Amino acid sequence: MALTWQARKALSIVCQDNRTSPLPANRTRDYARPVSKPAGQVEGRTAGNASLQLGVDRSSPVPLYYQLSRQLEEAIEQGKLAPGSLLGNEIDLAGRLGLSRPTVRQAIQSLVDKGLLVRRRGVGTQVVHSQVKRPLELSSLYDDLETAGQRPATHVLHNTVEPASAEVAAMLGLAEGADVHRIERLRLAHDEPMAYLRNHLPVGLLPLETADLEATGLYKLMRNASVTLHSARQSIGARAATAQEAARLSESEGAPVLTMARTTFDDMGRAVEYGSHIYRASRYSFEFQLLVRG
Amino acid sequence: MALTWQARKALSIVCQDNRTSPLPANRTRDYARPVSKPAGQVEGRTAGNASLQLGVDRSSPVPLYYQLSRQLEEAIEQGKLAPGSLLGNEIDLAGRLGLSRPTVRQAIQSLVDKGLLVRRRGVGTQVVHSQVKRPLELSSLYDDLETAGQRPATHVLHNTVEPASAEVAAMLGLAEGADVHRIERLRLAHDEPMAYLRNHLPVGLLPLETADLEATGLYKLMRNASVTLHSARQSIGARAATAQEAARLSESEGAPVLTMARTTFDDMGRAVEYGSHIYRASRYSFEFQLLVRG
DNA sequence: AAGTGGTCTAGACCACACT
DNA sequence: GTGTGGTCTAGACCACTTC
């Protein structure tokens, strides 16, 4: 949508589902250690707000900056670090934890990128007053529905390989007539139809068994097949349902529906999926959070 | 929307309008310099793909990592760095430019975050096959319309201060009945109505002159008033237009409209704006790009 | 074995905000 | 002036990928 922020700023939208993103873990660690500092469990009391326990485990395969980042994130989520409170300066924090300043900065930066912290030069690092309400509306994928306890189900209405139409070929960057999977699914929540999903995928990328498609979401299948998703172009609009669409979705003809078209690309920029979806506007909306990217 | 990506990954959506984001600039620079390396303009030929000119200006107030980042970004945009090509290893690059490896890494990382580069351990850093089509549809704000050459215009239909309703008070985190600005605007492009925008803002944050509102967008006014936008919660849906809405938007009653509700927060998490907007589905859609956040 | 990115250290100077 | 984050250096060891 060219997302409506200030002209000079890029935008980032972050899904509220910010669970652990497990990094590629190192196995062991043997850097130059601080010679005279015992480090380890340190109860922060020297600076800023901190009255919380922080400490890193150098024998763990998890990167130090990531351990710290997670601890800070949890402290914020649990309210141990009050919104608006100062974190204490980076140097002290590094000293108390037995880490170097760059490592501490890396941890803090990752939380700034997530929108949990704000840094101000000359002032300090503060916890943002969280406006982190849980999503009230439903979300768009099987896994999200499942997470929200919405009892999702999928009916696979179509699952074939056929020649690509001009539109599909263009969106996937293939030659017209090239073989592609065509999948059509009806997504239900609590036994109520929510969305009609039509997807096209190039052949050879992953097996697409109807049973798998009914058991889980497409993206999870792709990830399991080691397809590394990288980016997507997406368009959200609305229109009146056709008679056929209305019948599928238990709506009446002419009822407003949300449309979403999306092409997904992998690491190397290959299009790996094109989806053209219809959602019942009466039961569905897209909810997300925007972060301004300095 | 809890954005439909893989369960374990957070999502980021980036507006395609990624113009320069001017960093707080330093004035001078006098770090320890590499002693024996003349540095400066270097034509890359030693490693990887690079046959492009890179070089940094140490007398510039612009941070070195940012200078490098911009040069690489331009090279990618202009096709001087072909999609899929390797960038050459970080150490060589640092040596050739007379920079340290962390500085080079910082430059590269910023492009990885933007989705332009991909790093693979043991392999190298590659340029992503760009799928950067310009947005085909219109965008959502005055400035975006203007950028797209859409001849935007705004009619201010309402601009008062009045007590907050329960809904508005809740969204802005104020007490019910507290004074708030209420603004209603009709947004046109090429003299055609595109959207009906209703906004509420707390008083005292910035002056809201009707003339200003007709000349530019609300976010630009807020930025000019030194309101530092930080994040927003947003919901996109659809429904049938009421008779009144249809009349305002030159649609017929019952026509599908896109709805967007958004609360915007500043650095400290204060709600600075609540908007409840209606877009003509026949003329408008939201277009954006998603980036998977490792 | 060689080459890459991923992580980490121990310093340093600078710009900015506050008192 | 003092304290903060912003930037930068010159090293180091590690894990992963490819040959």
Side-chain angles (χ1 to χ4, degrees):
Chain A
M1 62 175 132
L3 257 169
T4 87
W5 227 246
Q6 335 182 177
R8 305 281 288 287
K9 298 231 176 193
L11 257 194
S12 68
I13 299 182
V14 176
C15 148
Q16 289 191 318
D17 164 28
N18 41 6
R19 284 174 277 248
T20 322
S21 83
L23 299 185
N26 296 330
R27 295 292 153 68
T28 58
R29 197 185 316 282
D30 188 21
Y31 304 99
R33 309 272 181 85
V35 266
S36 54
K37 296 163 190 166
Q41 280 289 333
V42 177
E43 74 299 7
R45 39 176 156 52
T46 329
N49 149 298
S51 63
L52 74 160
Q53 289 203 339
L54 294 173
V56 293
D57 174 8
R58 299 194 94 101
S59 68
S60 161
V62 179
L64 302 179
Y65 80 90
Y66 190 72
Q67 292 184 40
L68 177 54
S69 164
R70 285 297 301 156
Q71 289 178 46
L72 291 174
E73 189 171 354
E74 282 173 17
I76 292 169
E77 280 175 1
Q78 296 170 11
K80 292 177 184 173
L81 276 175
S85 62
L86 286 166
L87 200 61
N89 79 58
E90 297 170 350
I91 311 246
D92 283 358
L93 198 52
R96 285 190 289 133
L97 291 166
L99 298 172
S100 68
R101 187 185 168 203
T103 300
V104 171
R105 271 185 71 80
Q106 189 174 5
I108 292 175
Q109 186 60 47
S110 73
L111 297 183
V112 171
D113 291 341
K114 285 186 180 180
L116 295 175
L117 296 177
V118 177
R119 281 209 259 232
R120 300 170 193 262
R121 175 143 52 173
V123 179
T125 303
Q126 303 176 62
V127 180
V128 168
H129 284 93
S130 55
Q131 299 293 340
V132 281
K133 298 156 193 156
R134 290 289 103 193
L136 304 175
E137 307 288 326
L138 301 175
S139 54
S140 50
L141 204 63
Y142 186 93
D143 310 294
D144 295 316
L145 289 168
E146 193 167 41
T147 304
Q150 292 293 319
R151 260 187 41 226
T154 305
H155 294 168
V156 174
L157 306 180
H158 195 99
N159 183 7
T160 60
V161 172
E162 56 189 56
S165 68
E167 176 205 0
V168 169
M171 298 308 268
L172 289 178
L174 302 173
E176 189 173 344
D179 274 353
V180 293
H181 291 278
R182 176 159 73 94
I183 299 168
E184 300 195 15
R185 294 169 294 166
L186 189 67
R187 178 82 86 227
L188 310 151
H190 292 304
D191 302 324
E192 274 283 323
M194 298 293 297
Y196 188 79
L197 316 173
R198 190 186 58 185
N199 289 86
H200 293 266
L201 296 86
V203 294
L205 204 61
L206 73 166
L208 286 168
E209 305 296 336
T210 295
D212 292 335
L213 288 167
E214 303 222 323
T216 185
L218 182 56
Y219 286 116
K220 187 170 275 184
L221 288 178
M222 292 174 74
R223 193 177 53 144
N224 290 349
S226 298
V227 176
T228 59
L229 269 25
H230 176 266
S231 64
R233 272 190 52 73
Q234 186 164 324
S235 174
I236 295 176
R239 59 178 170 78
T242 66
Q244 188 185 38
E245 290 165 350
R248 286 171 183 154
L249 294 174
S250 305
E251 294 274 347
S252 50
E253 186 174 352
V257 290
L258 273 168
T259 63
M260 199 257 288
R262 175 167 56 195
T263 307
T264 310
F265 304 93
D266 74 356
D267 267 16
M268 293 318 296
R270 293 175 305 187
V272 294
E273 178 252 348
Y274 169 60
S276 182
H277 303 169
I278 297 168
Y279 302 83
R280 295 176 73 177
S282 60
R283 306 192 133 256
Y284 196 92
S285 66
F286 295 92
E287 304 251 339
F288 47 89
Q289 187 161 354
L290 308 169
L291 289 181
V292 175
R293 200 168 72 173
Chain B
M1 59 176 128
L3 258 169
T4 87
W5 227 247
Q6 337 181 174
R8 305 281 287 285
K9 298 232 175 192
L11 256 194
S12 69
I13 299 183
V14 176
C15 146
Q16 290 191 317
D17 163 28
N18 42 5
R19 285 173 276 249
T20 321
S21 84
L23 299 184
N26 296 330
R27 294 291 152 67
T28 58
R29 197 186 317 284
D30 188 20
Y31 304 99
R33 309 271 181 86
V35 266
S36 55
K37 296 162 190 164
Q41 282 288 334
V42 177
E43 73 301 6
R45 38 176 157 54
T46 329
N49 149 296
S51 64
L52 74 161
Q53 289 203 337
L54 294 172
V56 293
D57 174 8
R58 298 194 95 101
S59 68
S60 161
V62 178
L64 302 179
Y65 79 88
Y66 190 73
Q67 292 184 40
L68 177 54
S69 164
R70 286 297 302 157
Q71 288 179 48
L72 290 173
E73 190 171 355
E74 282 172 17
I76 292 169
E77 280 175 0
Q78 296 170 12
K80 293 177 184 172
L81 276 174
S85 63
L86 287 166
L87 201 60
N89 79 58
E90 297 171 350
I91 311 242
D92 283 357
L93 198 51
R96 286 190 288 132
L97 291 167
L99 297 172
S100 68
R101 187 186 169 201
T103 301
V104 171
R105 271 185 72 80
Q106 190 174 5
I108 292 175
Q109 186 59 48
S110 72
L111 298 183
V112 171
D113 291 341
K114 286 187 180 178
L116 295 176
L117 296 177
V118 176
R119 281 207 260 233
R120 300 171 192 262
R121 175 144 45 173
V123 178
T125 303
Q126 302 175 63
V127 180
V128 168
H129 284 92
S130 55
Q131 299 294 339
V132 283
K133 298 158 193 154
R134 289 290 101 193
L136 303 175
E137 308 287 327
L138 300 174
S139 54
S140 51
L141 204 64
Y142 186 92
D143 310 294
D144 294 317
L145 288 168
E146 193 168 40
T147 303
Q150 292 293 321
R151 260 189 38 228
T154 305
H155 293 169
V156 174
L157 307 178
H158 195 99
N159 184 7
T160 60
V161 173
E162 56 188 55
S165 68
E167 177 205 359
V168 169
M171 297 308 266
L172 289 178
L174 302 174
E176 189 172 344
D179 275 353
V180 292
H181 291 278
R182 177 159 72 95
I183 299 168
E184 300 195 14
R185 295 168 293 168
L186 189 66
R187 178 82 86 228
L188 310 156
H190 288 124
D191 302 324
E192 274 283 321
M194 298 294 297
Y196 188 79
L197 315 173
R198 190 184 58 185
N199 288 88
H200 294 266
L201 296 85
V203 293
L205 205 60
L206 73 166
L208 286 167
E209 305 297 334
T210 295
D212 292 335
L213 288 166
E214 303 222 322
T216 184
L218 182 56
Y219 286 116
K220 188 171 276 186
L221 288 178
M222 293 174 73
R223 193 177 52 145
N224 291 348
S226 298
V227 176
T228 59
L229 271 24
H230 176 266
S231 63
R233 273 190 51 74
Q234 185 165 323
S235 174
I236 295 176
R239 59 179 170 77
T242 67
Q244 189 184 38
E245 291 165 349
R248 285 171 184 154
L249 293 174
S250 305
E251 294 275 348
S252 50
E253 185 174 351
V257 290
L258 272 168
T259 63
M260 199 259 287
R262 174 166 58 195
T263 307
T264 310
F265 304 93
D266 74 357
D267 267 17
M268 293 318 297
R270 295 175 305 187
V272 294
E273 177 252 348
Y274 170 60
S276 182
H277 302 169
I278 298 170
Y279 302 82
R280 296 176 73 177
S282 59
R283 307 193 133 256
Y284 197 93
S285 67
F286 295 92
E287 303 251 340
F288 47 89
Q289 187 162 355
L290 307 169
L291 289 181
V292 174
R293 200 168 73 175

